[in-house]
Amino acid sequence: MGRTGMPDYTGDIAARPIGAPQSKAGAWLHRFANPGRFQRLVQPVLPWLTVVAFLTTVIGLVWGFFYAPADWQQGIASRIMYVHIPSAWVAMNGYAALAICSLLSIVWRHPLADIAAKEIGPVGAGFTALCLISGSLWGRPEWGTYWVWDARLTSVLILLFLYLGHMALIRAFDNPQHGYRAAAILGLVGAVNLPIIVFSVYWWNTLHQGNSISVTGPSKIYVTMLYPLIVCTIGFYLAFAAMCLGRISSGIMENRARALLLAQAERGDA
């Protein structure tokens, strides 16, 4: 840690975690907290992951919008689900990943966890916004309005605010470490909203329909619509992973460059 409060990215190991591990679990996690090791693992994979994500998403969307049958009740408006449902799942699980990074940051002080949480936020917020926009477009022909203060819709809107609040907190302090700590706390507290989103359609009387897809039992959706939806979901998750990994890699290089410039400035002042 430099005198500026930023992690030291100038050494060969590119930012040692703060403090010694207190347990075998901590030691195992610290092994993967090295930004330099992360770069060596991710950079060769990222171009391939991006291509696969793009192709999978395109195949799923073309399959769903042009070849899968429309719902017998909702008609062509139901095709919005090939965007709405995957973006909703990615938005929720993206915040779960952000909360895990927040836990690693608070408990083990992982510099890479801080960077990951910072870069996951904008991507997760984008998917949450896509979920809300597509849901509004789907709701207009079915409910007669773009928005209702339904429990599911409101809880997803709160999820968007949590993403935006996390992004704002990180940038609200002159000392980056203070921003990371405050944002990590919000990330953990905000995770309480995830089960509310999932079970809101069962806990309250809502306009939003219940879950049509079940892992433990039969799904309430025809396989001719389920298969393209699964492909779209895989594509969205791969796209989320590619964007997050690319942003994390760029964040590491940005922090490293900033640390080198600050080190040069400190030597010049001395």
Side-chain angles (χ1 to χ4, degrees), residues 2 7 17-19 37 46 60 68 78 105 108 119 129 135 146 171 183 185 187 198 203 207 221 236 243 251-252 266:
I18 301 172
R37 184 178 291 114
L46 188 56
S78 65
S105 172
W108 284 288
E119 304 303 338
Y146 289 106
R171 295 162 176 81
I185 294 172
V198 174
W203 292 345
L207 285 175
I221 182 173
F236 273 52
M243 285 186 280
I252 290 172
E266 288 176 354

Side-chain angles (χ1 to χ4, degrees), residues 4-132:
T4 59
M6 296 183 58
D8 181 8
Y9 288 86
T10 58
D12 292 336
I13 64 170
R16 291 184 179 86
I18 301 172
Q22 300 299 318
S23 64
K24 291 183 178 180
W28 182 83
L29 288 169
H30 275 294
R31 179 183 177 188
F32 297 97
N34 188 306
R37 184 178 291 114
F38 175 88
Q39 293 283 63
R40 291 191 295 271
L41 291 174
V42 167
Q43 287 184 347
V45 176
L46 188 56
W48 295 100
L49 179 61
T50 303
V51 171
V52 173
F54 176 79
L55 292 177
T56 305
T57 302
V58 170
I59 291 171
L61 291 177
V62 171
W63 188 359
F65 276 97
F66 297 103
Y67 295 99
D71 183 78
W72 69 278
Q73 286 182 315
Q74 301 182 26
I76 196 171
S78 65
R79 298 187 189 277
I80 301 177
M81 72 176 178
Y82 298 110
V83 174
H84 177 68
I85 295 177
S87 60
W89 287 342
V90 171
M92 289 189 293
N93 286 290
Y95 196 89
L98 186 151
I100 292 173
C101 291
S102 298
L103 178 65
L104 296 176
S105 172
I106 291 174
V107 177
W108 284 288
R109 304 290 188 182
H110 280 216
L112 187 57
D114 288 329
I115 298 173
K118 177 182 178 182
E119 304 303 338
I120 287 172
V123 182
F127 277 97
T128 307
L130 179 61
C131 171
L132 290 170

Side-chain angles (χ1 to χ4, degrees), residues 68-270:
D71 183 78
W72 69 278
Q73 286 182 315
Q74 301 182 26
I76 196 171
S78 65
R79 298 187 189 277
I80 301 177
M81 72 176 178
Y82 298 110
V83 174
H84 177 68
I85 295 177
S87 60
W89 287 342
V90 171
M92 289 189 293
N93 286 290
Y95 196 89
L98 186 151
I100 292 173
C101 291
S102 298
L103 178 65
L104 296 176
S105 172
I106 291 174
V107 177
W108 284 288
R109 304 290 188 182
H110 280 216
L112 187 57
D114 288 329
I115 298 173
K118 177 182 178 182
E119 304 303 338
I120 287 172
V123 182
F127 277 97
T128 307
L130 179 61
C131 171
L132 290 170
I133 294 170
S134 58
S136 296
L137 295 175
W138 193 357
R140 180 65 178 86
E142 303 304 321
W143 300 338
T145 181
Y146 289 106
W147 182 263
V148 292
W149 291 103
D150 178 270
R152 172 65 66 83
L153 275 67
T154 304
S155 55
V156 174
L157 180 62
I158 292 173
L159 180 64
L160 177 61
F161 290 154
L162 288 169
Y163 272 121
L164 296 177
H166 185 273
M167 294 162 56
L169 269 180
I170 286 181
R171 295 162 176 81
F173 297 86
D174 293 333
N175 188 326
Q177 293 304 311
H178 295 166
Y180 287 140
R181 296 290 83 74
I185 294 172
L186 176 63
L188 285 178
V189 173
V192 176
N193 188 49
L194 296 179
I196 295 176
I197 295 174
V198 174
F199 296 107
S200 58
V201 293
Y202 304 109
W203 292 345
W204 295 283
N205 183 20
T206 68
L207 285 175
H208 197 287
Q209 68 183 55
N211 297 332
S212 300
I213 300 174
S214 175
V215 178
T216 58
S219 299
K220 303 175 184 177
I221 182 173
Y222 292 114
V223 293
T224 51
M225 302 166 69
L226 177 62
Y227 291 158
L229 179 59
I230 291 175
V231 175
C232 286
T233 302
I234 294 173
F236 273 52
Y237 273 112
L238 291 176
F240 174 81
M243 285 186 280
C244 288
L245 291 176
R247 288 182 61 91
I248 293 170
S249 179
S250 298
I252 290 172
M253 291 187 287
E254 179 184 350
N255 284 3
R256 183 175 295 166
R258 186 181 295 113
L260 288 171
L261 291 174
L262 289 172
Q264 291 177 357
E266 288 176 354
R267 287 195 298 268
D269 292 340

